[in-house]
Amino acid sequence: MTQPRYADIVLELEPGERRPLLTYGVPAELADRIRLYQAVWVPLRDEVRLGVVASLHEEAPAFAVRPVVGLVEPEFVLTPEQWALAEWLVEETLCTLWEAVALFLPPRLAQRVEVLLRPTGAVPTGRLSPVQRRLLDLLAQRGPLTLEQAQRALGRSLTTALERAVSTGLIERLPIVRPIQRVVSEQFLRPRLDSDPPTDAAQGRAYEIIRRWYEEHDGALLPRRFLHRLGLSPATVQMLVQRGLVEVVELPRGGLPTVQGGPDRPLTLTPEQQQAWEAIRSMFAQDPPRPLLLHGVTGSGKTELYLRAIGECLRRGRQAIVLVPEIALATQVVQRVAARFPGRTVLVHSGLRESERSAVWEAIHQGQAAVVVGPRSALFVPLRSIGLIVIDEEHEAAYKQQEPPPRYHARAVAQRLAELHRAVLLLGSATPDVTTAYAAATGQLVVARLRQRVGPLVVGERGEVARARLQLPRVEVVDMRLEHQLGHAGLFSRALHEAIAAALQRGQQVLLLINRRGSATLVQCRSCGHVEVCPLCDVPLVYHADRRQLICHRCDLRRLPSTTCPTCGRPALSYYGAGTQRVEREVQQRFPQARVLRWDRDVVQRGNDPRSLLQRVLRREVDVIVGTQMVAKGFDFPAVTTVGIVHADTGIYLPDYRAAERTFQLLTQVAGRAGRHLPGGLVVIQTYTPEHYAIRAASRQDYDAFYQEELAFRQRHGYPPFRRLVRLVVRHRDELAGRLASEEMAERLREKARELSARDVEVLGPTPAFVSRIRGLYQWQLLVRGADGPRVVAAIPVHGGWIVDVDPVSLL
């Protein structure tokens, strides 16, 4: 094979082309080592920059080229599937090729780079200054050094002398990646099944126990800390390791989820679960497999089917990815995966320390981990043989990446990644995204349904063991208009007050949802009508009683509340609306003996780990949980039988095409927290619009009824899944300049649509964004609607403060 002479490199450049490639020469010493999609160092102006090889060729460009500086060490190369996915992301999200490729690079690679100075060995052609001579002598004696090390050794600044030495070719800059700091690891044992069992009796017994563990746990590895629990001698096991009969696998402890108790064992399936499992298992035999939607009511046992699918994947020698919306909100799913597959499972998320993230990434890269659990970024880990991708709570908006670009949706990326690997894609939800349900209805997805909750094991009349049937909770809708007409003006209706009292008397737990933080959501003058708003974002400030501060939930501006109105000067400021703090205070006043836990983002940001909050609930240290949507999804609270939704209308009339869908999903999900383990669950929904179809459907737990009405609304107004959307937002310090820029962009888009003969495209706007000002910048937006929208937007260079979001999940 002819050795390549030139390489086209993708690297981060100024905004411009979506596929910016620069051509470099391949030095002879790298010609037999450089590969496609490999991370390399290249010169750019006076710097050495990180890039990735897009192509290798023999064709000499019509201009002089600079050589590649070197390969990133330790070596890193994207797989062909990863490169294909990056190319797809460029087309689908209209990002740059570098933005897509950078998703796959090791974490914080650029931040771990040190630049060493090394003499080239070239003979000086001119006279050297004394400083240059001393620098060259130092590097010759001590080897490559960083600039800081050289300056300390010589006791002076070397900036000028170094630049001259580099420009004359006497010294070169050599970037290296600092090694990962050693992290605490945990050891697991894996039997070598291709080996003959040992003849020694003690070793044979130990080997058999380890082998049996491996087979009975779907390929899970035995944690070394379990040896005494199983009656195994560490010395005997060490002899098996030395003889090569047992392999030791080390995984960084920071990437291992905390597991309560022993290993998770497979549960007995209900007939309905068994039928769904057969549908899932059949997908592994298809080539290529079709994506499958597991549509199951809350508490129907979807997680157990995820675990069985992972086990099937591992038995086939392949790897699995399990996506959760947010690690903090999926503690129990994460724990069950880790407990079912110890030694095979790692956790990836931004909350890990830099050294832990790098160590976890390296363990995946080396093939030490076969199951990766994490949020949307887990799709870009270096697994090489993916056989299964699970997306739990697939309807969640958290799966959409917003900043920085690319603005991808994890569901779409997962589907493309599954196609590239010919892997099974398993989507799970009690309230599927309308676009997902439409894909299932039109035959693009296979559907398996779970309509019944999974109850505890009980002994039947004939002595047989079976699962008790748990009904969905009873839902009562309270029209708050009537409550107020009858003189009940408090936060809690009579029905909700009585339900809370009854649950507390029975020793059960209560969950109250209000999807707003703070004590008052509006501070207004009763005299002149002035509203306290953020001066940078033009949104109302929220009063937080525990901090005695007005806080902007957009930019986090904080200030003390005034005693008088800043407009009219009168002491007439009043506090309206309610948030979690006010609900917490009202519960404490009405039920002084109840132990109340407030669970919202403010509490978590003050250092309260959601896992510790969950443990307080599970240990029955809490009677009433007051929370936002953070507690509405993913958690299993066994003792919660009563759920109260204080204000169901919070987001239903927002100017967004998904407002009704989000409301229905939130109400259904939080209602699903009631009565998951005990009979007699009750949900009280307080609303001022009980006639709205989202409220009606949620009260009946009737997804199909909601779906039909929502689909009709989407079709009438040309929203997804019937037409695609592209949202363009410009931010500017000057309101008029922002408006003029958006008007100019709208006209350019319309002209380009005519030029391309695009038939299905419509440019709407410009209009001020819903939040017209954020952090001091005015926002103007355009909406491009229709199947040809992405093609038209892609044909226009868009930069200079513009944000482009293809298939947005929100227009707010």
Side-chain angles (χ1 to χ4, degrees), residues 182-188 248-256 359:
R182 185 164 181 80
V183 299
V184 178
S185 61
E186 184 164 342
Q187 293 187 341
F188 300 85
V248 176
V249 174
E250 290 195 17
L251 294 175
R253 187 169 294 171
L256 300 176

Side-chain angles (χ1 to χ4, degrees), residues 536 731-734 771-779:
L536 299 176
R731 293 174 177 170
H732 206 288
R733 293 200 175 277
D734 183 84
V771 179
S772 60
R773 195 167 174 232
I774 184 167
R775 297 181 179 90
L777 299 177
Y778 291 93
Q779 297 196 121

